[in-house]
Each structure stands twice: as C-alpha cells, then as structure tokens.
Amino acid sequence: GAGVSQSPRYKVAKRGQDVALRCDPISGHVSLFWYQQALGQGPEFLTYFQNEAQLDKSGLPSDRFFAERPEGSVSTLKIQRTQQEDSAVYLCASSSRDRTSSGNTIYFGEGSWLTVV
Amino acid sequence: GNSVTQMEGPVTLSEEAFLTINCTYTATGYPSLFWYVQYPGEGLQLLLKATKADDKGSNKGFEATYRKETTSFHLEKGSVQVSDSAVYFCALRSNTGNQFYFGTGTSLTVIP
C-alpha cells in the first residue's frame, strides 16, 4: 500500500478486556516496529520484526503484551487483560531494509489510540 | 546507552519568527539523527535526517546540522508559518541496534 495502515484507529476497552491492534506495513518492507506513545511523551520502542522473525522484544512492558507477524507482512499487537496504564497510542512503523544501515528511514502509521476504562 | 534530550515546550511564536528547537543526544557507536513532525491527529512524519557528522539535513525550510563535537542536532527555520504548528520529535538510531530513540517532543504553535 501507499503507507502504513493501522486499525482500529480508536479503541475503548474495559479493564480486563483483551485487544488486538493490526498493522499493514508498506508493501515489501522487511522491517516492522511497534512503539507505544503515552500522552505528552515521545514514542517508546516495544518490539521489532525482520520479516516474520521477532528479533527484539525487549520493550514489551509485560507478558500481557504479545506481537506476531506470521507471514512477514501484516502484524498484530495483542494486549491481554488490559489495564488503565495501557492507555496510549500504539504506533506501527516499517522500513525497507534490515538493521544494516542506521540511516534507513522508518515510516509510521497514524496509530491506534487505546483508552482503557 | 542511547538517549535524546530536546527542549521542553510549548513554544509559541509569531508568524515569520525564527525557530530553534534544541536537541542533544547520547549514543553508542555512530548514530543517524532524525527530526520527525506530528500534526494534530496524524502519525509521525519524517522531516529531515543526517547520517554522519557535519551532515546537514533540510526540508521545507527546516534545517539541522549533525554536530558530533557538541552531540547536538538543533532544528532551525528562518521564518515559521501557521502551518508549521505541530509537535516536533528529535530521534536517533544507533548503528548497533534496531531501535529509534525519541525525545519527548516539543509542541510549536505559530500565531498569525
């Protein structure tokens, strides 16, 4: 596609509910990232995929957070038993190349705004 | 470790004023440096980047120079417009890892 597409754009979840956030990266992009952006803060790294392999998940805040990219394109971020502190914008980004060049630009989607009540 | 510190906002300027948003960084290895902009209700968009020391990134009248000696990448624009109102994020990507590290963002409002 022309850009990174995320859905849903807005999600209100009751505390304890499970949510799934979808990311459609730019077609052909190898690298895919998930970031969490709290209100008034910069994005914080969650996890990174190269094709279908999850190479770095060091930023996932707890074992309630799980991400997958089974066919190396679309990715899903799942949050189980949501808590109020999970309320944030979840940003997906993709890049055309792997980690070999730090100059590679990553392109962000518009984000999924999650509010846990 | 890797981190980015940028000046706190909010910043309010009159149209045609000069803009500087300070950004300094700490990094392992030789990072690339970026400025991203976020307009209300939208995702992050790349504004400009520089991949090595003394490089100057520029776009839409914005400029930033990669200064290794001062570990800085300050964003400047000579004459801001109302349409520049947004949140600006400084970021780095180390050549030893996959992550982008972002500053906390600086909100800019330009008034006519």
Side-chain angles (χ1 to χ4, degrees):
Chain A
V4 179
S5 178
Q6 292 188 245
S7 61
R9 285 294 315 276
Y10 304 95
K11 174 71 179 177
V12 178
K14 292 184 178 179
R15 191 170 54 181
Q17 186 179 352
D18 297 349
V19 300
L21 308 176
R22 175 188 168 104
C23 173
D24 234 310
I26 294 172
S27 179
H29 275 194
V30 168
S31 299
L32 185 145
F33 304 79
W34 282 99
Y35 281 80
Q36 180 190 58
Q37 186 178 14
L39 190 64
Q41 299 296 315
E44 297 279 346
F45 173 80
L46 293 177
T47 187
Y48 163 69
F49 289 86
Q50 185 176 318
N51 296 307
E52 69 278 3
Q54 189 175 20
L55 299 186
D56 188 344
K57 55 182 180 179
S58 61
L60 295 176
S62 77
D63 59 7
R64 296 186 295 103
F65 286 70
F66 172 75
E68 60 183 7
R69 193 186 186 197
E71 297 179 359
S73 56
V74 171
S75 176
T76 304
L77 176 66
K78 298 178 179 178
I79 309 173
Q80 297 176 325
R81 306 181 303 281
T82 52
Q83 304 295 316
Q84 282 190 318
E85 62 263 28
D86 300 334
S87 295
V89 180
Y90 290 87
L91 298 169
C92 179
S94 70
S95 176
S96 60
R97 299 180 191 170
D98 60 20
R99 57 178 286 181
T100 55
S101 173
S102 66
N104 293 333
T105 301
I106 61 173
Y107 298 90
F108 285 86
E110 294 183 334
S112 290
W113 298 63
L114 173 65
T115 303
V116 181
V117 297
Chain B
N2 298 302
S3 67
V4 174
T5 302
Q6 63 182 103
M7 68 183 280
E8 293 186 14
V11 175
T12 302
L13 294 173
S14 297
E15 206 165 20
E16 299 183 1
F18 183 86
L19 168 72
T20 300
I21 301 178
N22 289 339
C23 172
T24 57
Y25 68 89
T26 303
T28 55
Y30 302 94
S32 290
L33 302 173
F34 303 78
W35 277 99
Y36 278 82
V37 58
Q38 188 172 36
Y39 297 101
E42 299 185 13
L44 289 160
Q45 301 175 25
L46 176 68
L47 180 60
L48 54 84
K49 70 176 184 181
T51 58
K52 61 183 187 295
D54 300 325
D55 268 2
K56 177 186 285 187
S58 61
N59 185 27
K60 300 180 181 179
F62 291 89
E63 292 184 339
T65 302
Y66 187 164
R67 302 284 188 202
K68 190 175 179 182
E69 63 275 14
T70 54
T71 61
S72 65
F73 193 55
H74 304 322
L75 182 69
E76 297 182 336
K77 186 173 185 181
S79 176
V80 293
Q81 304 300 311
V82 172
S83 57
D84 294 328
S85 298
V87 181
Y88 293 82
F89 291 92
C90 185
L92 74 82
R93 188 179 192 186
S94 169
N95 65 339
T96 60
N98 307 306
Q99 301 180 29
F100 273 64
Y101 296 86
F102 287 86
T104 54
T106 303
S107 175
L108 170 67
T109 301
V110 180
I111 56 178

